[in-house]
Amino acid sequence: MSVSSYVSSALIIVSGMVLSGCFSSGQSDYTQQPKRSSLSDLANKGSSEKVVAVEMSQQQRSVALANIYQQLLTLEPDPEVRTHVEYRLAQINTESFEAQSYADLGDELAEPSQTDSMVLAQMNQNDAALQQLVEQYQQLLLRYPQRAENEHIQYQLAKALDLQGKLDASLAQVESLLRQYPQTEYLAELNFRRGEIYYNLQNYSAAIQAYKQVLNASNNQKYQLNSMYMLGWSEFKLNRLANADNAFLQVFEALVANQQNNPDITSLTADNFAFEKLGSRAQNLAIDTQRVLSISLSQQLQSQSLVTLVKDNQSLPYIGLYQHVLFANLATFLLDKKLDYDAELTYQAYIDFAPNQIWAARFSLDLLDLYQRQGKFAAMHKLKNDYINQYGLNSAFWLNASSAHKGELLPHLLSFSDEHSRRLYADAQTQQGKKRINAFAQAANALNTYLQLAQLPEAKPLLSKDIIHDQYLFADANFEAQQYQAALDSYYAIAYRPTEATASTTLSQIQQQSAYATTVTIRELITKNSQSSTSDLTPLMTKRNQLDKQFIIQYSQDERALQLAINAAQYSFENKDFVELKYFTDFVLQAHGIAPLTANSSAVQTATPLSDPARKQVQFVSQLYANSLYQQEQYAQAEDAYVLALQYTDNGATAWSEMRNLLASSIYFQAQAVKQTEPQLAVSQLLRVAQVVPESKYAMNAELDAANLLLEQQRWQEAVDVLKPFQKQHPNHEFSAAIPAKLAQSYEALAQWDLAAEQLLVIVANEQPGALKREAQYTAAEYYLKAGDRSNALTTFRNYAKTYPQPFDVAQEVRFKMSEFYRQSGEANKQYYWFRQLLSFDRQQRQSDANAIQARQVELASMAAFALGEAEQRSFAAIKLNAPLQKSLKSKQDTMKKAIGYYQQVLDLQLAKYVPHATYNLAEMYRQLASDMMSSQRPNDLDELALEEYEILLEELAYPFEEKAIDIHISNTQQAWEGIVDQWINLSFQRLAEMSPALYQKSELTHEVIDAIH
């Protein structure tokens, strides 16, 4: 027994001895005797005489009483009295021992750390007295086994044995006492002692049961906390970590519950709770418990296990106070072990578990420090963004937060949101397309979050910059995100807000830029709502005009005012307000010194030299005017107007190409006017489009229209002469898709089959799946056959077979054609491949729709199956049976099985043309197998007797195959009874005559035999 265990045991007994007293429970038996004076009566009887008070110590009193009772025993009293005296004497001796052992301890028992060593020292001085007590207890129990007082005697004996270090003996007494007195008043103490002993003996399962008995016992307050703690340790020792964790939680709960009378403790909340604020003893136990809990969790799934533990125990009264402490302790423990990543997961686990607790925000900062130390910048950015979302102004946390919490969070929210918004804005500038739009939308949201925080009254002392710059970025971000209404509101608020006369140049520039931005944004807003009704667009257009005018008045010297006029011209054109368009066009032209256009102006007037920007402005408005004439279907005037507009257009610009196309279109539509009345003239006019504007898409339309007119007139070769160059020059043009059909039609009319097939394959390559594509594929193959091009015909039929399993009859014919190609070329393996394809698709069709199979398809399938069976039969016949027989025999049998499979398909198809021949071949394979076995190579390592036995074995193996051959031949001859007679049935008769004449003479053979054979 270790010293620490001995001290622990001693402390238990010290705490238990104060419960011992008079053996009053023994009085119940005694009082059932006839009434007379008893020792108890004497002890309780008061004296009517006054005596002089005598001062005696407890020790002196015990010695005196022990002498008296010892003298009584010498008088040989009544047995019942003697028994009572002996028990009372044991009680007195116990009290005397206790007084002697603990007389010098005094109030030191209040400090366990000092009491342990002092009690142990005293007990070591009283070994003899202790042994005397043990013997006295044992004698009493032996002599009076049925006495009620034995509960207390056995209790004292267990304690005394424990003091002597006799753990096993003490444990035996404890177990015996609990069995005899299951409701003993020492239930909690004894079970705690059992637990301690079992724990020291490393019998942790028994210790667990004992500690649970303590927790279930009444009046267990003295042992409850230690039992919870040791229960957790016992579960931990058994590696039942989840159970241990739950036990340790109960320790925390008890520690907090025990402090509920302390106002300093009850005032604590989850925001400021710490175990260090409890009493010193509670602190020490809490520290130990936290440490072992962290160890336990580290041996499981760490933070995951802790989250599960806390979630499963949310019903505990105080867990909400200290659950954050558990996460903090685990993280600290992991950091001490250099497990930084696991510590990160622990902080994150709490943040995910209790996101709306202030400790989640605090742990976020701890986690941020961890990321920063490790250089995890991406993780830092994400964490800061999560912090903003979780604790910002629109969060549930902020709405319910106290002023203190808001003050704690605001500096971090400002810093994080400012950094996050600028980073998103910078990133958005690098994006393209849809990603750019989405990125700026995110930047706008982030800037809005920052601005809302920055505009809080309490945020003002924390700011170090004017937020107008961020407001402008916010407006820009909304614009780039195509959130135009938000951008317009923001730009307007900046542009036209009151400013002091002494405003900085930078501020003035931002305002002017914002003012112009309003005119741009309102136009984007109109464009965005262009599909809306006129009544919805009218307010936007009115707002546009107001903003344009406001900008021109306030910033009249800005060169962008002219651009606004150009924009007005564009909107007039879009609204088909051609009068206003003419007005704005003239305004811009006059601004650049160009005479306004009139109805009588010449299309060949000389262009005025202009700067490049001015030329582009003139080009834009003059092009709009030309477009307006085109829209009014004034094509002749439009042609002249485009010539004028092109004088101010760079021939490398997009507008140049557009106007050239429109010029061509104007000519094209003039040609359309005579298409119905004068088709020959229309052809020449259509071809003229390509001569004037060869690069225009209308030139291609015109050429195709000319070709179509030629086809309608059946001028085939002339149509080909137009279509072929077009197809060559514009292979990817949308109109080229129709040319192969037109060319195929022309080549068919000209009997040029190979050229027609080529065009049909072009259709196949470009057409969507369907009947047209399939028929073109088949027709192309047929045309190649007509042209005598076997190679291309084969390739085309092969592609058809692999692409179009339906219609079934056509697909089977194509597969047959493929087999015929290879039959003619002598490529047997390829021919057999297509036979197998015939059979495979025949089988699939029978499973899906057997009614679709006609006689021709049955003929093809039978022919294919029979040919494959014959091929496998030839392979079967070629295999020689060599020693060792089993190896070559297996190969021969495998090949035979394949042949049988194909012949069986022939029989299943039941086509009379093939059934007798297939049946005959089946029988011959069995006959040949039997013959080959008998003529097979013999092993060369057998003696004469062994070889003779081997010959017998071969006969036994070959006999069933020969019998099966006979049966199958017989089944073939039976068809003669049904009126079917051909050479193969006759051959079966001949073979039967050779093999078994007697069997051939049988009068009846049933179909069950045939079925069994196959």
Side-chain angles (χ1 to χ4, degrees):
M1 181 176 186
S2 65
V3 172
S4 60
S5 300
Y6 192 94
V7 170
S8 178
S9 301
L11 285 174
I12 296 171
I13 294 180
V14 168
S15 62
M17 284 182 175
V18 298
L19 299 175
S20 63
C22 294
F23 300 103
S24 57
S25 60
Q27 299 300 318
S28 59
D29 295 336
Y30 181 70
T31 54
Q32 299 302 316
Q33 303 297 325
K35 185 65 177 175
R36 61 180 177 79
S37 296
S38 66
L39 290 175
S40 297
D41 294 333
L42 293 175
N44 295 325
K45 181 178 180 180
S47 174
S48 60
E49 300 179 3
K50 294 183 178 180
V51 296
V52 179
V54 178
E55 295 290 339
M56 296 180 71
S57 67
Q58 179 65 36
Q59 176 66 20
Q60 291 170 332
R61 187 178 299 109
S62 297
V63 172
L65 288 173
N67 289 333
I68 292 171
Y69 278 98
Q70 195 66 45
Q71 291 171 9
L72 285 175
L73 290 175
T74 62
L75 299 178
E76 299 183 357
D78 177 83
E80 179 64 27
V81 175
R82 181 180 181 86
T83 301
H84 189 80
V85 169
E86 287 181 346
Y87 273 87
R88 176 57 179 149
L89 183 58
Q91 177 186 0
I92 292 171
N93 289 337
T94 300
E95 293 172 351
S96 176
F97 175 79
E98 291 174 354
Q100 179 180 353
S101 299
Y102 307 110
D104 297 332
L105 296 179
D107 295 333
E108 298 296 332
L109 289 174
E111 290 295 334
S113 61
Q114 299 176 16
T115 303
D116 292 352
S117 58
M118 296 175 66
V119 168
L120 185 57
Q122 284 286 15
M123 290 179 177
N124 288 337
Q125 298 175 11
N126 295 285
D127 286 346
L130 184 60
Q131 179 60 32
Q132 182 179 359
L133 274 177
V134 167
E135 293 172 357
Q136 188 176 11
Y137 296 150
Q138 291 173 335
Q139 286 298 319
L140 287 173
L141 292 172
L142 182 62
R143 290 162 56 195
Y144 309 109
Q146 302 303 321
R147 296 288 295 184
E149 296 93 328
N150 285 353
E151 175 185 349
H152 306 282
I153 291 297
Q154 196 166 8
Y155 165 72
Q156 295 289 3
L157 176 58
K159 291 193 297 181
L161 291 169
D162 191 319
L163 287 175
Q164 289 182 317
K166 300 176 180 178
L167 292 184
D168 291 338
S170 176
L171 179 60
Q173 293 300 322
V174 170
E175 298 285 12
S176 173
L177 179 56
L178 289 173
R179 285 195 300 272
Q180 295 182 56
Y181 307 101
Q183 301 301 322
T184 176
E185 61 182 293
Y186 309 119
L187 184 63
E189 177 188 350
L190 292 173
N191 275 299
F192 182 79
R193 183 62 204 133
R194 288 174 64 232
E196 291 293 279
I197 294 173
Y198 281 131
Y199 186 89
N200 288 332
L201 294 174
Q202 299 184 5
N203 187 349
Y204 302 117
S205 296
I208 289 170
Q209 296 305 316
Y211 290 130
K212 287 182 177 178
Q213 291 292 330
V214 176
L215 298 177
N216 292 329
S218 58
N219 299 321
N220 65 354
Q221 296 85 352
K222 189 171 184 178
Y223 308 99
Q224 184 186 44
L225 192 56
N226 281 345
S227 293
M228 292 176 183
Y229 178 70
M230 293 307 298
L231 175 61
W233 264 108
S234 300
E235 296 281 11
F236 179 80
K237 290 291 188 179
L238 289 175
N239 202 35
R240 300 195 318 216
L241 302 181
N243 292 346
D245 297 345
N246 282 293
F248 293 136
L249 279 191
Q250 294 297 330
V251 175
F252 295 136
E253 289 290 308
L255 286 173
V256 178
N258 291 342
Q259 297 287 328
Q260 290 309 297
N261 293 328
N262 185 343
D264 293 336
I265 302 304
T266 55
S267 63
L268 294 176
T269 66
D271 292 355
N272 57 6
F273 179 86
F275 285 110
E276 289 76 6
K277 297 181 180 181
L278 305 179
S280 59
R281 295 189 67 182
Q283 286 184 38
N284 294 333
L285 184 56
I287 290 171
D288 288 344
T289 306
Q290 291 174 74
R291 179 177 177 276
V292 68
L293 177 59
S294 294
I295 294 172
S296 173
L297 293 169
S298 71
Q299 295 177 8
Q300 301 176 64
L301 297 178
Q302 300 173 347
S303 58
Q304 293 183 41
S305 298
L306 179 53
V307 169
T308 301
L309 175 66
V310 173
K311 281 184 177 179
D312 292 346
N313 288 278
Q314 283 299 296
S315 60
L316 295 178
Y318 304 109
I319 193 170
L321 278 176
Y322 60 81
Q323 61 189 13
H324 67 277
V325 178
L326 307 182
F327 285 87
N329 286 338
L330 178 57
T332 302
F333 177 84
L334 294 171
L335 287 173
D336 290 342
K337 300 297 183 183
K338 307 300 182 184
L339 300 173
D340 291 358
Y341 176 72
D342 296 317
E344 292 171 12
L345 294 180
T346 302
Y347 284 131
Q348 188 63 54
Y350 182 86
I351 295 168
D352 295 338
F353 168 67
N356 289 322
Q357 296 296 324
I358 187 61
W359 282 103
R362 293 167 180 169
F363 285 164
S364 294
L365 299 179
D366 292 333
L367 185 55
L368 189 62
D369 289 339
L370 263 178
Y371 286 155
Q372 188 170 16
R373 290 201 299 269
Q374 298 175 75
K376 296 182 177 180
F377 299 113
M380 289 175 62
H381 296 329
K382 182 181 183 303
L383 182 57
K384 289 178 180 179
N385 192 31
D386 292 344
Y387 190 97
I388 297 166
N389 294 332
Q390 184 63 37
Y391 309 111
L393 290 181
N394 297 322
S395 67
F397 182 91
W398 185 273
L399 294 175
N400 299 297
S402 65
S403 297
H405 285 171
K406 290 179 180 179
E408 179 181 343
L409 297 179
L410 186 55
H412 304 295
L413 289 171
L414 283 169
S415 174
F416 294 166
S417 61
D418 185 24
E419 175 189 339
H420 180 61
S421 62
R422 289 183 175 275
R423 183 172 60 253
L424 288 181
Y425 189 92
D427 177 69
Q429 291 176 308
T430 67
Q431 302 297 328
Q432 298 294 329
K434 187 65 175 177
K435 289 184 178 179
R436 180 181 178 88
I437 294 172
N438 294 335
F440 271 111
Q442 294 178 12
N445 289 336
L447 283 161
N448 186 49
T449 299
Y450 170 72
L451 289 172
Q452 288 181 3
L453 290 165
Q455 290 168 353
L456 292 174
E458 55 268 39
K460 188 173 182 179
L462 303 174
L463 298 176
S464 59
K465 59 180 179 178
D466 191 338
I467 64 171
I468 189 172
H469 300 281
D470 298 290
Q471 290 172 328
Y472 186 78
L473 288 179
F474 174 62
D476 266 359
N478 277 303
F479 182 88
E480 294 289 349
Q482 300 183 4
Q483 298 168 170
Y484 298 120
Q485 187 60 58
L488 180 61
D489 295 341
S490 299
Y491 282 133
Y492 194 86
I494 298 170
Y496 300 112
R497 75 177 186 178
T499 57
E500 299 178 1
T502 58
S504 67
T505 303
T506 301
L507 176 59
S508 298
Q509 291 174 344
I510 291 177
Q511 288 187 292
Q512 183 172 350
Q513 187 63 27
S514 297
Y516 181 72
T518 62
T519 66
V520 176
T521 307
I522 189 62
R523 283 167 171 76
E524 295 292 346
L525 195 56
I526 292 172
T527 302
K528 184 177 181 179
N529 291 275
S530 60
Q531 302 302 318
S532 302
S533 64
T534 303
S535 59
D536 292 335
L537 284 175
T538 298
L540 293 175
M541 293 180 176
T542 302
K543 183 68 173 177
R544 179 197 66 197
N545 296 336
Q546 174 233 318
L547 292 171
D548 288 351
K549 187 175 182 179
Q550 195 168 2
F551 179 83
I552 293 170
I553 292 173
Q554 188 156 342
Y555 302 103
S556 58
Q557 301 303 314
D558 195 312
E559 63 181 9
R560 291 173 290 188
L562 181 61
Q563 182 63 47
L564 291 178
I566 296 172
N567 290 340
Q570 180 180 0
Y571 282 106
S572 298
F573 173 78
E574 291 174 354
N575 293 328
K576 301 186 183 304
D577 189 348
F578 299 123
V579 174
E580 285 297 310
L581 172 60
K582 182 69 167 63
Y583 171 80
F584 286 116
T585 301
D586 291 346
F587 175 83
V588 175
L589 293 177
Q590 287 175 341
H592 293 293
I594 300 173
L597 296 173
T598 65
N600 298 321
S601 62
S602 173
V604 294
Q605 62 181 291
T606 304
T608 301
L610 297 173
S611 66
D612 189 59
R615 184 170 55 82
K616 289 181 179 179
Q617 292 177 345
V618 171
Q619 171 262 313
F620 180 75
V621 294
S622 60
Q623 180 183 353
L624 287 178
Y625 180 65
N627 289 345
S628 71
L629 292 171
Y630 182 89
Q631 289 184 0
Q632 296 173 73
E633 298 184 357
Q634 299 175 16
Y635 297 116
Q637 297 90 328
E639 181 179 355
D640 294 337
Y642 281 122
V643 172
L644 175 63
L646 285 167
Q647 293 184 61
Y648 295 95
T649 304
D650 186 352
N651 60 10
T654 303
W656 170 271
S657 300
E658 292 175 354
M659 284 191 286
R660 291 280 292 173
N661 277 326
L662 289 169
L663 175 60
S665 177
S666 298
I667 300 171
Y668 177 82
F669 283 118
Q670 291 178 61
Q672 294 296 311
V674 296
K675 183 177 181 179
Q676 299 300 325
T677 57
E678 298 179 77
Q680 186 63 37
L681 176 61
V683 168
S684 62
Q685 287 283 52
L686 289 168
L687 295 177
R688 189 179 71 85
V689 175
Q691 297 170 0
V692 177
V693 192
E695 77 279 9
S696 170
K697 62 181 181 181
Y698 288 99
M700 292 182 279
N701 285 350
E703 287 183 318
L704 283 178
D705 284 351
N708 288 335
L709 285 174
L710 292 170
L711 290 172
E712 289 174 8
Q713 298 172 48
Q714 297 186 0
R715 294 156 63 182
W716 305 113
Q717 190 58 53
E718 292 179 65
V720 169
D721 292 340
V722 174
L723 291 170
K724 283 296 289 181
F726 186 95
Q727 186 184 46
K728 183 177 181 180
Q729 294 173 15
H730 313 288
N732 298 320
H733 193 275
E734 58 180 330
F735 293 150
S736 294
I739 291 178
K742 298 178 187 295
L743 287 174
Q745 178 187 9
S746 300
Y747 288 135
E748 289 168 10
L750 296 170
Q752 297 177 353
W753 303 114
D754 54 341
L755 297 178
E758 290 176 3
Q759 295 304 316
L760 288 172
L761 289 183
V762 173
I763 295 174
V764 170
N766 298 312
E767 185 68 23
Q768 293 296 320
L772 176 61
K773 187 182 183 82
R774 173 176 54 77
E775 290 170 4
Q777 178 86 23
Y778 187 88
T779 304
E782 291 289 345
Y783 281 178
Y784 276 127
L785 282 180
K786 283 187 176 184
D789 189 343
R790 180 183 178 280
S791 175
N792 279 325
L794 184 148
T795 301
T796 309
F797 274 127
R798 181 193 296 115
N799 290 338
Y800 183 96
K802 292 185 176 180
T803 307
Y804 301 108
Q806 295 294 336
F808 177 69
D809 56 342
V810 177
Q812 288 293 78
E813 290 293 346
V814 171
R815 295 179 187 108
F816 174 68
K817 286 178 182 290
M818 292 301 300
S819 70
E820 284 295 287
F821 277 123
Y822 291 120
R823 179 186 64 78
Q824 294 169 9
S825 64
E827 298 176 84
N829 286 338
K830 293 181 179 180
Q831 181 187 14
Y832 297 154
Y833 167 81
W834 287 104
F835 283 158
R836 287 192 292 271
Q837 290 290 296
L838 276 166
L839 292 177
S840 175
F841 282 95
D842 182 82
R843 182 166 54 254
Q844 294 177 26
Q845 187 64 35
R846 289 177 185 278
Q847 293 173 353
S848 60
D849 183 11
N851 294 329
I853 298 177
Q854 303 301 320
R856 173 58 178 169
Q857 288 81 59
V858 175
E859 167 80 16
L860 293 176
S862 298
M863 176 270 296
F866 185 82
L868 290 170
E870 281 195 318
E872 293 294 345
Q873 185 172 2
R874 287 193 293 272
S875 298
F876 160 80
I879 297 174
K880 303 300 181 184
L881 295 180
N882 299 319
L885 180 62
Q886 65 272 21
K887 182 176 180 180
S888 55
L889 179 60
K890 182 181 185 308
S891 177
K892 195 174 186 73
Q893 286 179 317
D894 289 344
T895 306
M896 181 179 176
K897 288 178 183 177
K898 294 178 183 178
I900 291 172
Y902 287 123
Y903 285 138
Q904 185 63 56
Q905 291 182 60
V906 174
L907 300 181
D908 292 342
L909 291 169
Q910 299 180 357
L911 196 63
K913 180 179 179 179
Y914 293 99
V915 169
H917 195 172
T919 306
Y920 176 82
N921 286 358
L922 274 172
E924 283 300 284
M925 276 197 296
Y926 281 108
R927 185 191 65 77
Q928 183 174 354
L929 180 60
S931 175
D932 288 353
M933 289 178 66
M934 292 307 300
S935 62
S936 64
Q937 182 184 22
R938 274 36 172 187
N940 55 13
D941 56 351
L942 301 179
D943 60 13
E944 184 177 352
L945 291 177
L947 186 60
E948 181 179 354
E949 184 176 344
Y950 184 80
E951 295 285 349
I952 296 172
L953 175 62
L954 285 178
E955 290 178 2
E956 291 178 353
L957 289 172
Y959 180 75
F961 296 116
E962 186 174 340
E963 288 295 298
K964 183 165 288 191
I966 292 171
D967 290 344
I968 296 174
H969 275 306
I970 291 173
S971 71
N972 203 23
T973 61
Q974 283 186 325
Q975 296 183 75
W977 299 99
E978 298 174 3
I980 301 175
V981 179
D982 66 5
Q983 61 174 325
W984 305 107
I985 295 176
N986 291 332
L987 287 174
S988 285
F989 276 116
Q990 296 175 20
R991 187 65 73 186
L992 285 170
E994 298 171 5
M995 298 175 67
S996 181
L999 183 60
Y1000 172 65
Q1001 297 299 325
K1002 287 183 178 179
S1003 61
E1004 181 178 1
L1005 292 172
T1006 67
H1007 282 289
E1008 283 75 7
V1009 175
I1010 298 174
D1011 292 339
I1013 292 173
H1014 300 308

